Amino acid sequence: MLIAPQPWMVEPATLAVLAALSAGGVEARFVGGAVRDALLGRPTPGWSPRADIDIATSAPPERVIELLQKSGIKVVPTGLAHGTVTAIAGTPPRRFEITTLRRDVETYGRRARVAFDADWAADAARRDFTINAIYLAPDGTIHDPVGGLADLRERRVRFVGDPATRITEDVLRLLRYYRFEGRFGSESGDPQARAACRAAAHLLPSLSPERVAQELVRLLDLPDPIAVLRMMEGDGVLAVILPEARRLDRLQKIIAIEPDLDPLRRLAALMEVDGQRAVALAERLRFSNAWRERLHGLAVPWPVDPSGDLRVQRRALYRLGTERYRDLALLLAAEGAMGRERLAELLALAGDWTPPRFPLAGGDITALGIPPGPRVGRLLAAVHEWWEAGDFTADRALCVAYLKELASKM
C-alpha cells in the first residue's frame, strides 16, 4: 500500500535527516503518531512545524549519531540505553526521535533491557498497540506487520500479542489503552484488552504520580472523553487513579456548553471535593503550583451567585478575576444553577468588562499624617470595601474624601 507524501515527509529538515542515514546505507521508516494520523487523514492534535517525528531504523544508535554528525545535523543522545537519539534540524528546528529496532531481553516495570538485533517484525512485536506498529517508508509504502491498519480502519484498539503480558511489561500501557480508546476506538472497547486492564488495575499505584497525571490530563483533553471514562469506571480503573471522580454527569454537561476545551476545568467538573481535598488531589498528582491553586479555586462552594444583578456580577468578577469567574459560571451552569441564556450573559460580561483599578494606595493614607502601621491597612481596606460596594464608580477625589472622613472618625 502506498500513501501520498505528507507535508512533514518532504520538509527540508526531514529530507536532510533521511539523506544522512541513507548515505550510510541505513534504512529508516516513520512510525508512531504522525503515521497513524496521516492514515486517518486528520492532523495530529497539537501538530505544528515543531512537533516531533518518530523514525525507526536498523542501525545501532552509535552509527546513527555518526552519520548525522557527519552531515552537520545536531544530535542529542536522549536514550542511548534504549536505542534512541534525537536529531534536531531545520529552521525552525524540528526534532526527530530516531530509535533503533530492538527487542526486550528483560522488563522491569517501566524499564527494560533491550537488544539491538531485531528485525522489523520483532520490533513491531514489542510495541504496545497494533495501530502504533505501522511503519511508513519515505517513498510512501506502508509496512503493517501486526495488522494495525485494519484495526485503525475498524476503530479497534488492540494490544500487540497478549494484553496481560504487554501490561505487565509496562503498567502505564493500561492507562494508555483507555486514552487510545478515547481517540481511536469504539464505545465498547476490545474485550481481551479490557479484561486484562481490569485484572491489572491493582498495579496502577506502582506508577509515578506524574505519569498518572499526564495520562489523565491527556484523556480529559480529548474532544469527548465521557464514553471512555464510563468504560474506565466500569472496569474499576477510574476509582483507583481518581476516586474523587464522582460527577461524570456534570462533566458531560460542561463539555456540551464549554466555549473552549480546558482539561483542568473538566477535572473540576468531574470531581466532588471541597477546597482542602482539591489541594490534596493536586499534590497527589504532582500538579504545578499554578494548577494546584486554580483547582483549589474551582472547588465547592462556588462564590458566584448566578441570580445576582450586574452590580453583584461585577463585584464577583473583580474579586475572582476573569478566568476563575468564567470557569465558575460554566461549572454552575453544568450543575443546573442557570440556563444557557443566563450563562451567555455572564460570559459576555466577563469578556467585555475591564475591572477598574483601585485609585488609592498606602501612601495616600500616610500623606494625611497617619503613621505606618495596622491603622493604615484598616483604613485602606475600609475605603476599598466602600468603593467596591459602590460599583467602582467613585473616582480618586471621592475616595480621598471618604478616606478623610473615616480617618477623622477613627
Side-chain angles (χ1 to χ4, degrees), residues 20-209:
L21 297 174
S22 179
V26 173
E27 183 181 10
R29 298 176 185 173
F30 303 108
V31 71
V35 176
R36 186 182 58 233
D37 293 326
L39 291 168
L40 288 171
R42 64 191 192 188
T44 300
W47 184 259
S48 73
R50 299 194 178 188
D52 292 359
I53 294 175
D54 293 327
I55 295 176
T57 178
S58 56
E62 295 78 12
R63 178 62 172 160
V64 172
I65 292 174
E66 176 190 348
L67 292 172
L68 292 171
Q69 289 179 338
K70 186 176 180 180
S71 296
I73 296 173
K74 181 180 178 181
V75 189
V76 180
T78 45
L80 282 182
H82 295 90
T84 301
V85 301
T86 300
I88 304 173
T91 305
R94 168 84 81 181
R95 293 167 58 92
F96 299 84
E97 298 293 329
I98 305 174
T99 303
T100 302
L101 302 181
R102 56 191 177 176
R103 61 179 178 86
D104 293 334
V105 176
E106 197 170 1
T107 58
Y108 317 91
R110 294 225 68 237
R111 297 173 297 161
R113 184 164 61 89
V114 299
F116 304 126
D117 57 359
D119 56 17
W120 293 98
D123 184 77
R126 69 170 298 279
R127 293 182 179 268
D128 50 7
F129 309 117
T130 61
I131 61 175
N132 286 342
I134 306 170
Y135 303 91
L136 173 61
D139 66 358
T141 301
I142 294 294
H143 299 271
D144 181 25
V146 292
L149 190 56
D151 286 339
L152 198 60
R153 288 170 175 163
E154 298 299 323
R155 296 185 62 82
R156 288 192 300 261
V157 180
R158 290 191 304 118
F159 283 95
V160 176
D162 177 55
T165 301
R166 295 281 85 83
I167 293 173
T168 301
E169 292 168 349
D170 184 353
V171 178
L172 187 64
R173 288 171 173 168
L174 193 160
L175 294 183
R176 281 170 56 83
Y177 167 74
Y178 290 101
R179 175 163 60 86
F180 274 70
E181 272 290 349
R183 266 199 79 199
F184 306 105
S186 64
E187 293 191 1
S188 57
D190 177 68
Q192 288 184 314
R194 290 186 63 181
C197 289
R198 286 194 294 270
H202 68 282
L203 299 175
L204 286 169
S206 66
L207 292 173
S208 71

Side-chain angles (χ1 to χ4, degrees), residues 191-229:
Q192 288 184 314
R194 290 186 63 181
C197 289
R198 286 194 294 270
H202 68 282
L203 299 175
L204 286 169
S206 66
L207 292 173
S208 71
E210 293 84 356
R211 292 287 186 179
V212 173
Q214 184 181 54
E215 287 299 318
L216 180 62
V217 170
R218 286 179 175 178
L219 196 151
L220 290 172
D221 204 33
L222 294 172
D224 187 353
I226 293 297
V228 74
L229 284 168

Side-chain angles (χ1 to χ4, degrees), residues 144-332:
D144 181 25
V146 292
L149 190 56
D151 286 339
L152 198 60
R153 288 170 175 163
E154 298 299 323
R155 296 185 62 82
R156 288 192 300 261
V157 180
R158 290 191 304 118
F159 283 95
V160 176
D162 177 55
T165 301
R166 295 281 85 83
I167 293 173
T168 301
E169 292 168 349
D170 184 353
V171 178
L172 187 64
R173 288 171 173 168
L174 193 160
L175 294 183
R176 281 170 56 83
Y177 167 74
Y178 290 101
R179 175 163 60 86
F180 274 70
E181 272 290 349
R183 266 199 79 199
F184 306 105
S186 64
E187 293 191 1
S188 57
D190 177 68
Q192 288 184 314
R194 290 186 63 181
C197 289
R198 286 194 294 270
H202 68 282
L203 299 175
L204 286 169
S206 66
L207 292 173
S208 71
E210 293 84 356
R211 292 287 186 179
V212 173
Q214 184 181 54
E215 287 299 318
L216 180 62
V217 170
R218 286 179 175 178
L219 196 151
L220 290 172
D221 204 33
L222 294 172
D224 187 353
I226 293 297
V228 74
L229 284 168
R230 293 197 186 284
M231 192 184 297
M232 294 172 70
E233 183 181 49
D235 291 343
V237 171
L238 190 59
V240 176
I241 63 168
L242 195 67
E244 300 87 349
R246 296 193 295 270
R247 293 302 305 273
L248 274 166
D249 60 323
R250 190 165 63 200
L251 174 61
Q252 187 169 19
K253 291 175 182 176
I254 206 169
I255 289 172
I257 61 175
E258 60 186 2
D260 58 304
L261 194 160
D262 187 315
L264 190 65
R265 186 174 59 225
R266 287 180 168 190
L267 177 60
L270 176 61
M271 68 184 191
E272 187 79 339
V273 295
D274 58 15
Q276 182 178 358
R277 293 179 64 200
V279 169
L281 167 62
E283 290 178 346
R284 187 179 82 234
L285 295 176
R286 305 289 195 272
F287 282 168
S288 66
N289 290 339
W291 271 42
R292 182 189 64 203
E293 292 304 313
R294 188 176 166 212
L295 194 63
H296 175 264
L298 299 183
V300 293
W302 296 320
V304 171
D305 177 9
S307 64
D309 61 16
L310 280 177
R311 290 167 63 97
V312 171
Q313 301 309 324
R314 281 192 287 263
R315 194 169 190 181
L317 183 53
Y318 176 80
R319 291 187 171 187
L320 299 171
T322 301
E323 181 185 53
R324 187 180 174 201
Y325 178 89
R326 288 177 72 250
D327 288 343
L328 290 174
L330 286 163
L331 287 166
L332 282 160

